[in-house]
Amino acid sequence: MTHDISRRHLIGGALGVVGLGALPAAAQVAKPKAPLLLNVIDAAGNLALTQPAFDNYRKANPELVSRIAFTKAPAPELPSKIKAQQGANRVDIDLVIIGPDALSAGLADDIFYDLLGLQGKNLPDLQSIYLDPAWRMQSLAKGRGVVVSYYPSGPLLEYAPSRVKTPPTTAEELLDWAKQNPKKFIYARPANSGPGRTFLMGLPYLLGDADPKDPVKGWDKTWAYLKELHKTIEYYPTGTGAVMKEFGDGTRDMIVTTTGWDINPRVLGIVPKDAKVQTLKGFRWVVDAHYLSIPKGVAPERIPILIDLIAHMLKKDQQAYAYDEGYFYPGPAVKDVPLSMAPKASQDALAEYGRPEYEKLIADNPKELPLEPEQLVQAFRRWDQEIGSK
């Protein structure tokens, strides 16, 4: 695989539509009249992990799929794009790869096909094959998506050891450091950034807020903290890639990160290899996952092939590609997929740039699910109104 920055995030109700009702459940995968061109949109930066598995399916099934066309879209824009196609009764997106952000918006708009309700018998027994946190993440999809990649995520602090001699160990120390070093700490807009989103959801645990699952009534300490922190921050980039570039070029001394966003930019040379990471007192992982979802309105005859493709993506040998170069570390959602199954390039990258301490951090700290979709949308909206727009 080539690894240019553009491949990743680093740069960057009832619907009045014919055919959106319950589609027939798949039987055996019937050979289409002509092999299909599949359109896949990645709104999660996930193709770095899964494109080889997609390509393997196409190569193994030339009678089913002639080509897979991949495009990328910012997570906040994808649901409205799908809704527009559904409103015009012209859905040409077969499959989307999304994180909890676009999943939440899509569930609110009811734009995704009920994969488990209508196709569960044609998919593996997910609970039996998934890692426990991946199975818990699966519950957030309400059957409208299937977890394809998982990682414990963060929130972690990443800092330049040559410029930050004594990194903060508590949320209070982070705020003090940011006040003493204005414009040197940064994070991206949570609605379009995995690390930004994870930081937003992790703060209520770090601060001992009343209800970490209720951003409206239970986050008084969090919102007050973010408003104080805001006074020290120059601006909020619209994606994590800009954060990494500014950290890498020395504009910022400390940022919010996750396991994957720590490892992969160092592999790619965007962030110096000697950058360090730190957890804060009271740290809990807020886990993350990517999902495969099918928009409502996809032609019924295409569904069985898409379901067969999703089942293929969950096979252990295909899951092993998710280690990639640490982008979503570890990456596999399925149990019993050790690093030794991954391509040699992945093994070599993680041997050099991975962090031995991650194994213990992952094993020893609680793993919390992100907010439920409705609450996540509320949190994004409130952050945008009260923090980002100021």
Side-chain angles (χ1 to χ4, degrees), residues 301-362:
E301 62 270 18
R302 302 173 79 86
I303 298 287
I305 293 172
L306 292 168
I307 296 297
D308 194 53
L309 168 59
I310 292 171
H312 160 85
M313 303 292 285
L314 297 177
K315 294 176 180 176
K316 290 181 183 180
D317 58 342
Q318 305 305 310
Q319 284 279 303
Y321 289 105
Y323 282 101
D324 182 54
E325 292 179 335
Y327 173 60
F328 210 64
Y329 182 81
V334 168
K335 289 185 284 197
D336 303 321
V337 183
L339 179 60
S340 59
M341 289 181 68
K344 186 175 185 301
S346 296
Q347 297 185 43
D348 291 348
L350 290 169
E352 184 171 357
Y353 293 93
R355 296 193 190 271
E357 62 262 39
Y358 277 156
E359 189 172 346
K360 183 171 172 56
L361 275 174
I362 292 169

Side-chain angles (χ1 to χ4, degrees), residues 30-295:
K31 184 176 174 182
K33 293 174 184 174
L36 304 182
L37 162 63
L38 297 181
N39 288 307
V40 176
I41 294 188
D42 177 14
N46 176 273
L47 285 173
L49 318 178
T50 56
Q51 188 159 350
F54 279 109
D55 291 341
N56 289 342
Y57 184 82
R58 177 186 55 77
K59 291 172 189 170
N61 298 280
E63 76 287 359
L64 301 179
V65 177
S66 62
R67 188 164 75 89
I68 303 178
F70 299 103
T71 54
K72 299 183 180 183
E77 296 175 12
L78 180 63
S80 59
K81 180 182 178 76
I82 293 172
K83 278 182 72 176
Q85 290 193 4
Q86 290 171 336
N89 195 24
R90 297 185 65 170
V91 176
D92 66 5
I93 302 165
D94 293 294
L95 192 70
V96 295
I97 317 171
I98 51 177
D101 40 13
L103 173 72
S104 299
L107 290 178
D109 291 338
D110 192 24
I111 58 175
F112 295 129
Y113 176 69
D114 184 359
L115 286 167
L116 296 193
L118 298 170
Q119 295 287 340
K121 66 184 177 61
N122 297 308
L123 290 166
D125 177 3
L126 300 180
Q127 186 171 6
S128 71
I129 66 170
Y130 278 150
L131 295 163
D132 177 66
W135 170 244
R136 290 163 60 208
M137 288 297 289
Q138 178 60 42
S139 69
L140 295 181
K142 316 297 185 194
R144 266 64 181 178
V146 171
V147 169
V148 68
S149 310
Y150 153 78
Y151 81 136
S153 192
L156 305 169
L157 293 181
E158 188 167 8
Y159 65 94
S162 61
R163 304 192 295 277
V164 181
K165 301 300 184 185
T166 308
T169 61
T170 67
E172 291 75 17
E173 288 179 8
L174 170 60
L175 182 57
D176 290 342
W177 185 91
K179 288 178 177 178
Q180 293 161 18
N181 300 272
K183 300 183 181 179
K184 290 299 182 180
F185 174 77
I186 198 172
Y187 67 99
R189 179 187 179 222
N192 201 27
S193 165
R197 180 173 72 239
T198 305
F199 180 57
L200 180 64
M201 293 186 288
L203 273 175
Y205 297 103
L206 297 173
L207 296 170
D209 235 327
D211 185 354
K213 297 296 189 185
D214 185 351
V216 176
K217 297 178 181 175
W219 283 20
D220 289 353
K221 294 178 181 178
T222 296
W223 296 118
Y225 182 93
L226 288 170
K227 287 171 184 175
E228 279 298 301
L229 189 62
H230 172 79
K231 297 173 184 176
T232 73
I233 292 176
E234 186 170 10
Y235 83 112
Y236 301 98
T238 55
T240 317
V243 173
M244 293 299 156
K245 289 202 290 185
E246 292 191 14
F247 178 58
D249 67 20
T251 304
R252 317 294 169 186
D253 294 345
M254 192 182 304
I255 60 171
V256 172
T257 195
T258 61
T259 57
W261 278 103
D262 158 42
I263 296 172
N264 188 251
R266 290 188 297 117
V267 173
L268 297 177
I270 295 160
V271 168
K273 186 178 181 180
D274 68 352
K276 300 289 186 187
V277 293
Q278 174 86 358
T279 59
L280 299 176
K281 183 181 178 184
F283 168 74
R284 295 172 179 232
W285 296 104
V286 179
V287 303
D288 199 359
H290 290 158
Y291 301 83
L292 298 173
S293 292
I294 299 173

